[in-house]
Amino acid sequence: KQEVTQIPAALSVPEGENLVLNCSFTDSAIYNLQWFRQDPGKGLTSLLLIQSSQREQTSGRLNASLDKSSGRSTLYIAASQPGDSATYLCAVPVNQGGKLIFGQGTELSVKP
Amino acid sequence: NAGVTQTPKFQVLKTGQSMTLQCAQDMNHNSMYWYRQDPGMGLRLIYYSASEGTTDKGEVPNGYNVSRLNKREFSLRLESAAPSQTSVYFCASSERGSYNEQFFGPGTRLTVL
């Protein structure tokens, strides 16, 4: 059974720091992995989707990597800003229908 | 582009009442999903529809029913609401199942008293 874990549960950094969020999964036979952002009281915003054949995907200051063999993905945020404060979730589909299994999320706080 | 829309945004029900949560997407996506989000439990899939005309159970389907009305709309019905169904409900869609990104709606906050 696929399980997705995100550590740490919370992270606080000063503005301007580069940071890495971690996501691990137990079954390496994945189609892809998706990173989301959730602001308090809001829905999920898709940040990046990495296909199983890719090792990296970039969008602006965000870079996501995928290592299927070790069951790990990282989300790198460069030059963090207070506006990056949110909960970041990773998720993997467990069937062709797209059923997603989510990690518990990392709550990021970027202090001015 | 509105993306994924959900109605209502908030709802309070009494135990035993019924209601339907509405979801619509304007991205011509084939697959649609209903999740619930609870503190400490994270996001869990209730039902999904991989394509128009099909629906399948997710992790927590008990107490819910769904209807894929057409390609755009996917509704979630609570026939007899229970306090355990107090949650935030999210609808999502993707172009084609697991191959593509899922896009989420803004959510419905439901309280069952």
Side-chain angles (χ1 to χ4, degrees):
Chain A
K1 178 184 172 186
Q2 179 72 272
E3 292 181 4
V4 181
T5 304
Q6 292 183 250
I7 296 172
L11 181 64
S12 181
V13 300
E15 182 177 3
E17 266 202 13
N18 303 325
L19 60 100
V20 173
L21 305 179
N22 297 298
C23 172
S24 61
F25 46 94
T26 55
D27 186 346
S28 62
I30 60 172
Y31 296 93
N32 53 54
L33 185 144
Q34 194 167 355
W35 282 94
F36 295 89
R37 167 186 173 137
Q38 186 175 29
D39 292 286
K42 303 291 186 184
L44 279 70
T45 300
S46 177
L47 296 173
L48 289 163
L49 176 79
I50 315 180
Q51 299 291 354
S52 61
S53 57
Q54 296 177 308
R55 291 194 63 86
E56 278 190 9
Q57 188 71 260
T58 298
S59 176
R61 293 183 294 109
L62 306 179
N63 177 278
S65 69
L66 177 64
D67 184 343
K68 279 178 50 179
S69 61
S70 66
R72 295 185 61 187
S73 177
T74 61
L75 180 67
Y76 174 83
I77 302 177
S80 59
Q81 303 170 359
D84 294 330
S85 298
T87 296
Y88 290 81
L89 297 137
C90 64
V92 295
V94 294
N95 62 14
Q96 287 190 343
K99 172 185 172 180
L100 287 180
I101 299 295
F102 283 84
Q104 293 289 328
T106 295
E107 185 176 356
L108 174 65
S109 175
V110 181
K111 305 292 188 187
Chain B
N1 250 356
V4 179
T5 57
Q6 293 183 236
T7 55
K9 286 187 168 53
F10 301 94
Q11 183 71 48
V12 178
L13 293 178
K14 294 180 181 177
T15 298
Q17 287 185 319
S18 62
M19 78 162 295
T20 299
L21 281 64
Q22 306 286 355
C23 173
Q25 52 89 11
D26 62 0
M27 297 174 280
N28 200 36
H29 285 172
N30 291 295
S31 306
M32 297 185 74
Y33 310 86
W34 277 106
Y35 294 89
R36 60 179 288 174
Q37 186 175 36
D38 303 288
M41 300 296 293
L43 277 144
R44 293 176 293 170
L45 183 68
I46 305 171
Y47 270 94
Y48 68 104
S49 171
S51 60
E52 188 179 355
T54 69
T55 60
D56 286 288
K57 295 178 180 180
E59 297 173 76
V60 288
N62 291 345
Y64 305 96
N65 286 302
V66 290
S67 296
R68 184 74 183 265
L69 305 169
N70 47 56
K71 193 172 185 180
R72 288 188 64 246
E73 299 172 287
F74 189 38
S75 63
L76 179 71
R77 182 160 179 85
L78 287 70
E79 290 291 352
S80 178
S84 61
Q85 294 178 304
T86 293
S87 187
V88 181
Y89 292 85
F90 291 103
C91 178
S93 71
S94 70
E95 185 176 342
R96 188 168 61 101
S98 62
Y99 298 100
N100 306 105
E101 281 179 280
Q102 283 192 26
F103 295 91
F104 280 69
T108 294
R109 294 184 175 275
L110 175 67
T111 301
V112 183
L113 302 174

